[in-house]
Amino acid sequence: MTDPSYTDLRRYNQTIAALHADPDVTGDLLLVGMWLARATILRDPPEGENGWSVEAAARDLYPVATRPAMNSFGQWTAQETRPDVWRVHDVLTKDIRRYDLWADQPGGKRGHTVCGAKTPRKPRCGKTVTVATTLTDPATGRRRMVGACRRHTDWWQEQTRANREACASVEIPRPPANAGGALARHISLDWPALWQGLDPKWVPPPEVDGWERPALRLVVSSASPSQPMVAGGPPRPRFALIDGALS
């Protein structure tokens, strides 16, 4: 491995700082992001024939993992495995660019749905719900949870019926992505290929203004600092799922 250039080191430091400053990049996602920054910018470890593998990241980040296993007597015991490939796999899967129903809800979490019926004194009831469902916006495809307490089930049924009729007469578009893609904001990789490898059913979701698809950033070659390589030149680095690595 050749020594990194000053430009590479500066870009690496800037990427690490940006990862730490991003509120969406924390915990294991931050660790994996720092590993990818080192690999793609400093080429440490060097890129293999098929890119970098999930197993290579796991060897550095989680070299020893303890998982439950059943022995020949039917007893559960702790079994040591090396390395914890599934942990890296799960981290990357949760960061796939996608539409997440719960990101559209108040608080962005499950369990925040309250009765939405209007009362004479309040714009919404606010009591604990006994029934709940999702309503789809026929114009955008986005969904929101709507629930009702025991007193307002008639209102909830009317909301559900009206939404079903509104959606039946139009073609519902795919909702725009509102979750995932945090690492793609900072690291240049062939992310669509990686996301499809993690989830074969994944297709690029629609995007809204304010989120740019990842593009190859400016890279100055250490062999020729005066000649930059930009998008349209060499292909993006690859982070590959190697067959058999998750078995």
Side-chain angles (χ1 to χ4, degrees):
M1 182 184 70
T2 59
D3 293 336
S5 67
Y6 169 78
T7 302
D8 291 336
L9 291 172
R10 183 177 61 181
R11 180 168 168 241
Y12 172 74
N13 289 335
Q14 291 173 342
T15 301
I16 294 298
L19 287 169
H20 279 85
D22 192 332
D24 294 329
V25 182
T26 59
D28 285 346
L29 186 62
L30 176 59
L31 287 177
V32 173
M34 293 173 64
W35 187 92
L36 285 172
R38 188 188 71 187
T40 58
I41 300 174
L42 303 182
R43 291 301 193 267
D44 179 22
E47 183 178 5
E49 182 179 351
N50 295 316
W52 291 275
S53 69
V54 173
E55 187 174 11
R59 281 197 301 268
D60 288 343
L61 299 176
Y62 314 108
V64 179
T66 303
R67 295 187 178 276
M70 183 175 291
N71 60 24
S72 57
F73 299 100
Q75 300 172 330
W76 288 100
T77 60
Q79 177 178 337
E80 188 177 274
T81 61
R82 300 173 182 264
D84 196 348
V85 178
W86 279 111
R87 189 168 178 178
V88 179
H89 186 278
D90 290 344
V91 169
L92 293 170
T93 299
K94 291 176 181 177
D95 191 45
I96 290 177
R97 188 66 177 158
R98 67 197 184 279
Y99 173 76
D100 184 359
L101 163 66
W102 298 106
D104 262 351
Q105 310 314 308
K109 298 179 181 179
R110 299 172 184 264
H112 281 250
T113 304
V114 296
C115 181
K118 186 177 180 179
T119 68
R121 296 183 178 181
K122 296 186 295 184
R124 67 174 183 173
C125 173
K127 291 184 178 179
T128 302
V129 300
T130 56
V131 290
T133 189
T134 60
L135 301 186
T136 302
D137 185 338
T140 65
R142 296 175 62 176
R143 294 172 291 164
R144 61 185 178 92
M145 290 292 300
V146 174
C149 65
R150 190 172 302 175
R151 290 182 55 190
H152 297 112
T153 53
D154 290 344
W155 168 86
W156 175 81
Q157 290 175 350
E158 175 60 24
Q159 295 290 314
T160 303
R161 182 194 62 78
N163 184 250
R164 184 168 55 248
E165 292 178 355
C167 293
S169 57
V170 296
E171 183 177 353
I172 307 298
R174 290 185 62 206
N178 62 357
L183 293 185
R185 294 197 291 262
H186 307 286
I187 298 171
S188 295
L189 277 176
D190 190 352
W191 288 103
L194 175 59
W195 292 334
Q196 287 176 339
L198 294 166
D199 180 6
K201 296 182 180 180
W202 181 86
V203 293
E207 296 291 351
V208 295
D209 294 338
W211 195 91
E212 296 182 359
R213 294 184 180 275
L216 190 63
R217 299 178 182 177
L218 181 67
V219 179
V220 179
S221 171
S222 58
S224 180
S226 62
Q227 297 181 3
M229 296 183 295
V230 296
R236 297 179 188 175
R238 293 174 295 174
F239 189 44
L241 293 174
I242 307 300
D243 292 340
L246 300 179
S247 59

